[in-house]
Amino acid sequence: MTRTHGADDATVLVVNSGSSSLKYAVVKPDSGEFLADGIIEQIGSEQVPDHDAALRAAFDELAGQGLHLDTLGLVAVGHRVVHGGKTFYRPTLIDSELIAKVEELSPLAPLHNPPALLGIEVARKLLPDLPHVAVFDTAFFHNLPEAAATYAIDREVAERWGVRRYGFHGTSHQYVSEQAAAFLGRPYDSLNQIVLHLGNGASASAIAGGRPVDTSMGLTPMEGLVMGTRSGDVDPGIIMYLCRAAGMDVQGIDTMLNRESGVRGLGGDNDFRKLHARIESGDENAQLAYDVYIHRLRKYVGAYLAVLGRTDVVSFTAGVGENDAAVRRDALAGLSGLGIEIDDALNASPSRDTRRISAPDSPVTVLVVPTNEELAIARASVALV
Ligand code: ADP
């Protein structure tokens, strides 16, 4: 049987390539339907030696589900790229010039951009006839007001080295804030919103009338909220102190702040389900980790309420934000004086849909909005090609 693929039938392969894992999804951008998605882990192991093997394994998994690349109606491959620097602020067709420029940005995102490039390289090799599109995590925030984007450091050093606040998780912040407006039936540009993306990485954003005006991640994804394994904000003096007093080097401090800090560094586990279990069994370190996490989150909510002046919506998203009712409750407890009142029963509902969790008379609406970065990347890719 011959099948022709109309626009509705178009599918996009989305690739999110990290250093040790490769996530993939086959998405119909129009309907939002996922034909398949999965993750190939342990890249660098015997079974999956490199990114080439990882993508081939993903294709094998698809074939195992009866999904063959040549009959899927693929119109594009969308790639998540973490750091677009100042160069890239919209979805961009991938060519050798883009690859060279993303490579130049690698010092800004050494953990993220090089593996994304490996994913792009093998995907272009295995699917040479399709357009490949890069969607940047920084793009949504490219127009942050200078007051929010500028670090108060020596100007020449900052300019020479591109040191400014770029923000990350932009695809998610944009998708979730648009979903929130649609859910409320309100024009996007009429709303002031705070989005709390709480996954393994975590970030907050303030969006005024549809324009992002602040976000918690900065030059790198290390700034801001306490995360699964990252510290978020620290006194920069800590770094110099540890160099001088403890004899630690840059690599050691980088590893500590990126991988051995945050909720896991303090409480032994970065999975909030396990953290709660530890707390229940009386683990004081886990309790402290949770308290530090919540304290930082509340500080950012307060800061963004002030940045915005008037806030219509606060949305929780990503693994922790969508699933952990205790985090949502504790992050916003006692803020009725600031117009935020959560309804405990609504907050405790196990629904997986976009939903309101604020009390009916709460001046600020609080929502849980499941994020869907793959769908957003698929839509951005198809819009470009
Ligand atoms: P990322 O994409 O940044 O890796 P996710 O957004 O998938 O992260 O979030 C992963 C985290 O979400 C897990 O580490 C865990 O802490 C948290 N999480 C997932 N499910 C639940 C749940 N049911 N209850 C509480 N936390 C959860």
Side-chain angles (χ1 to χ4, degrees):
M1 191 175 72
T2 321
R3 279 192 71 187
T4 48
H5 293 284
D8 294 351
D9 245 358
T11 59
V12 175
L13 172 67
V14 178
V15 177
N16 180 353
S17 172
S19 58
S20 65
S21 72
L22 183 145
K23 291 186 202 163
Y24 67 92
V26 180
V27 185
K28 284 189 181 291
D30 282 336
S31 64
E33 187 191 348
F34 276 54
L35 300 183
D37 60 343
I39 178 167
I40 307 296
E41 291 178 288
Q42 297 188 317
I43 299 176
S45 67
E46 217 166 290
Q47 290 95 327
V48 192
D50 54 23
H51 285 75
D52 184 274
L55 193 60
R56 287 176 197 274
F59 292 173
D60 287 347
E61 286 190 358
L62 290 171
Q65 298 171 51
L67 297 173
H68 297 281
L69 294 168
D70 40 359
T71 55
L72 271 175
L74 283 179
V75 296
V77 184
H79 295 266
R80 176 183 184 224
V81 181
V82 165
H83 215 309
K86 286 191 89 167
T87 318
F88 298 107
Y89 50 87
R90 54 170 67 106
T92 308
L93 213 53
I94 296 173
D95 56 15
S96 51
E97 193 189 342
L98 175 136
I99 290 172
K101 283 187 177 151
V102 170
E103 229 155 46
E104 280 170 29
L105 295 168
S106 284
L108 283 170
L111 301 177
H112 295 102
N113 275 18
L117 284 169
L118 289 173
I120 287 170
E121 191 188 319
V122 300
R124 286 179 88 214
K125 193 181 72 192
L126 297 180
L127 298 167
D129 298 328
L130 285 172
H132 291 249
V133 177
V135 178
F136 296 92
D137 236 27
T138 47
F140 184 53
F141 299 115
H142 85 278
N143 228 353
L144 280 183
E146 283 302 300
T150 307
Y151 289 109
I153 65 169
D154 182 285
R155 258 199 104 120
E156 273 174 40
V157 171
E159 265 166 35
R160 166 76 181 81
W161 294 98
V163 177
R164 59 184 276 115
R165 309 190 59 257
Y166 294 95
F168 299 87
H169 292 146
T171 307
S172 178
H173 285 276
Q174 179 171 13
Y175 178 83
V176 166
S177 55
E178 287 173 358
Q179 289 294 113
F183 178 79
L184 297 173
R186 300 271 303 274
Y188 186 57
D189 58 10
S190 73
L191 293 173
N192 284 0
Q193 306 199 41
I194 295 173
V195 177
L196 303 170
H197 175 111
L198 310 177
N200 237 330
S203 62
S205 68
I207 302 165
R211 180 186 174 200
V213 292
D214 208 347
T215 192
S216 58
M217 285 177 169
L219 175 78
T220 75
M222 289 175 74
E223 191 178 345
L225 301 175
V226 176
M227 312 186 203
T229 65
R230 289 179 220 144
S231 62
D233 294 336
V234 293
D235 177 353
I238 290 175
I239 296 162
M240 284 74 88
Y241 173 72
L242 291 177
C243 280
R244 294 191 192 108
M248 289 175 76
D249 62 9
V250 169
Q251 190 51 52
I253 293 173
D254 191 346
T255 302
M256 182 191 79
L257 293 177
N258 257 311
R259 300 186 198 271
E260 295 158 4
S261 296
V263 172
R264 185 161 78 201
L266 288 175
D269 218 303
N270 58 318
D271 187 318
F272 271 68
R273 289 161 287 200
K274 294 184 185 154
L275 192 75
H276 285 299
R278 282 179 188 243
I279 292 170
E280 252 143 57
S281 71
D283 183 333
E284 287 175 11
N285 293 332
Q287 181 68 55
L288 178 63
Y290 184 77
D291 293 346
V292 173
Y293 181 91
I294 294 292
H295 180 76
R296 182 81 51 83
L297 192 52
R298 292 172 64 84
K299 250 170 51 168
Y300 269 90
V301 170
Y304 288 178
L305 289 172
V307 165
L308 291 171
R310 182 205 91 228
T311 302
D312 301 294
V313 195
V314 176
S315 296
F316 286 90
T317 194
V320 180
E322 290 167 31
N323 295 301
D324 198 319
V327 165
R328 296 192 298 259
R329 178 197 64 210
D330 294 338
L332 301 182
L335 297 186
S336 56
L338 297 173
I340 298 178
E341 206 147 352
I342 287 215
D343 180 298
D344 285 333
L346 292 177
N347 183 42
S349 150
S351 160
R352 314 211 50 84
D353 299 327
T354 296
R355 60 197 185 274
R356 186 193 306 261
I357 60 167
S358 47
D361 54 356
S362 174
V364 177
T365 301
V366 183
L367 302 177
V368 177
V369 181
T371 192
N372 195 336
E373 288 163 284
E374 291 82 10
L375 176 58
I377 290 171
R379 286 187 173 154
S381 303
V382 93
L384 184 71
V385 305

